[in-house]
Amino acid sequence: MPARHSWEIPMLIVVIMLTVFAYAIALLLLATGNFDQYVLLLVFAPVLIWLGRGVLYATQRVNGVKMSPTQFPEGHRMVVEAAARFGMAKVPDAYVVLGNGQINAFASGHGFRRYVAVYSDLFEIGGAAREPDALAFIIGHEVGHIAAGHASYWRQLGMFLVPFLPIIGNSLIRAQEYTADNHGFCNRHTGAPAAMGTLAAGKYMNTLVGFDEMADRAAMEKGFFVWLVNAMSSHPVLTWRMWALRDRSRHGRLWWRPSPPAAAGMVPTGGYPSSYGQTPALPPKSVP
């Protein structure tokens, strides 16, 4: 199974503790009659999250094109294979939504249902993927969010304070993204360079992106503002993210840039002390 980023659970515990503390303070203020809109926001957070997840899921159900063996069959097959690869008992629903030039995908859920949504710009006319390996990596990344529990209602409730914790909250989200990248790598490791190239330059110029050349810059680009941009981002900056996908000997960096390899031009290799990064020898089993 893909490795969970080493900082994800510790950061999750910190965020949940802070969120629970904030909930307790909000309830105390409400009980004493000293409250404002922020206190009410915290008190009604369970309902607001439930409503938001329900509306988002309904939006995909009524507006998105649901992947199936007859609609976007290539993407549907990738979702089924990713779910099998990660040992999931049920295949999540998958929808294609209008991208309008944007390259994106996300995973969420409502109730007992989980789903992924892929922006249409990752496909070409006719429903075929422009870069099949890249799409398989991206779908593996999103299904990985579900497999790792990131789409859980209770997890999102415990992380409700994340938007109000710019450094700590974003660090947790970045750790989750590294975990999802590990799933994407496990699902289709050959798609990592094209997927990152697509995020960097778009689907038409992704083949012009030198993956190693861009990853090398993670150790060279330095300074306070480089640190700040990463620290305030919900996703690892692309150069660091590419470095982590190339260097399988350690988990992706959350706060400090990677160290240059010992020898100039040497591409880091290796693997986590688990089955992470290994290409499964057998095809995944079918999932109902």
Side-chain angles (χ1 to χ4, degrees):
M1 292 297 294
R4 189 182 295 273
H5 192 276
S6 58
W7 275 102
E8 180 183 334
I9 298 304
M11 294 302 302
L12 178 63
I13 292 173
V14 170
V15 169
I16 288 178
M17 290 177 62
L18 292 173
T19 303
V20 169
F21 179 74
Y23 284 151
I25 295 297
L27 289 173
L28 179 62
L29 291 173
L30 184 66
T32 57
N34 300 312
F35 59 88
D36 56 17
Q37 65 269 27
Y38 296 107
V39 171
L40 293 176
L41 182 67
L42 280 167
V43 170
F44 289 101
V47 176
L48 294 174
I49 293 175
W50 180 78
L51 288 174
R53 286 164 60 91
V55 169
L56 184 61
Y57 182 36
T59 300
Q60 315 315 314
R61 292 168 62 192
V62 298
N63 291 320
V65 181
K66 189 174 183 179
M67 294 186 194
S68 71
T70 55
Q71 290 189 131
F72 295 92
E74 187 180 22
H76 176 262
R77 174 179 53 80
M78 292 176 181
V79 173
V80 172
E81 290 178 352
R85 183 79 67 194
F86 306 145
M88 299 172 67
K90 190 174 182 62
V91 177
D93 293 336
Y95 299 91
V96 176
V97 299
L98 183 62
N100 281 329
Q102 298 183 56
I103 301 295
N104 200 8
F106 64 89
S108 189
H110 180 61
F112 295 104
R113 303 296 301 179
R114 299 291 182 268
Y115 66 91
V116 299
V118 179
Y119 281 34
S120 58
D121 289 78
L122 288 168
F123 293 90
E124 286 285 68
I125 295 174
R130 181 174 179 83
E131 293 285 347
D133 283 351
L135 180 62
F137 176 92
I138 292 170
I139 285 178
H141 174 105
E142 299 304 336
V143 175
H145 275 305
I146 297 173
H150 301 165
S152 164
Y153 167 84
W154 296 106
R155 187 184 185 107
Q156 292 187 4
L157 182 62
M159 293 171 55
F160 187 74
L161 212 61
V162 160
F164 305 98
L165 302 170
I167 302 296
I168 298 175
N170 287 345
S171 296
L172 169 58
I173 301 301
R174 290 198 305 279
Q176 291 185 164
E177 292 301 324
Y178 277 129
T179 295
D181 271 356
N182 293 347
H183 283 74
F185 187 93
C186 177
N187 187 56
R188 189 70 62 86
H189 66 284
T190 54
M196 294 299 105
T198 301
L199 294 177
K203 67 175 184 177
Y204 293 113
M205 293 187 288
N206 52 9
T207 56
L208 301 178
V209 178
F211 180 80
D212 286 324
E213 184 176 345
M214 191 163 177
D216 287 342
R217 288 171 44 216
M220 296 184 288
E221 303 288 357
K222 55 186 178 180
F224 169 74
F225 289 104
V226 170
W227 177 87
L228 184 63
V229 167
N230 177 74
M232 298 296 291
S233 176
S234 61
H235 286 62
V237 292
L238 278 178
T239 50
W240 294 22
R241 197 173 176 183
M242 290 178 176
W243 181 287
L245 285 168
R246 186 180 65 178
D247 181 3
R248 310 312 290 160
S249 65
R250 65 201 68 188
H251 295 262
R253 296 298 185 94
L254 283 186
W255 301 290
W256 312 113
R257 64 188 174 93
S259 301
M266 183 183 74
V267 177
T269 57
Y272 289 141
S274 69
S275 61
Y276 170 80
Q278 298 178 3
T279 305
L282 298 175
K285 297 179 289 184
S286 60
V287 178

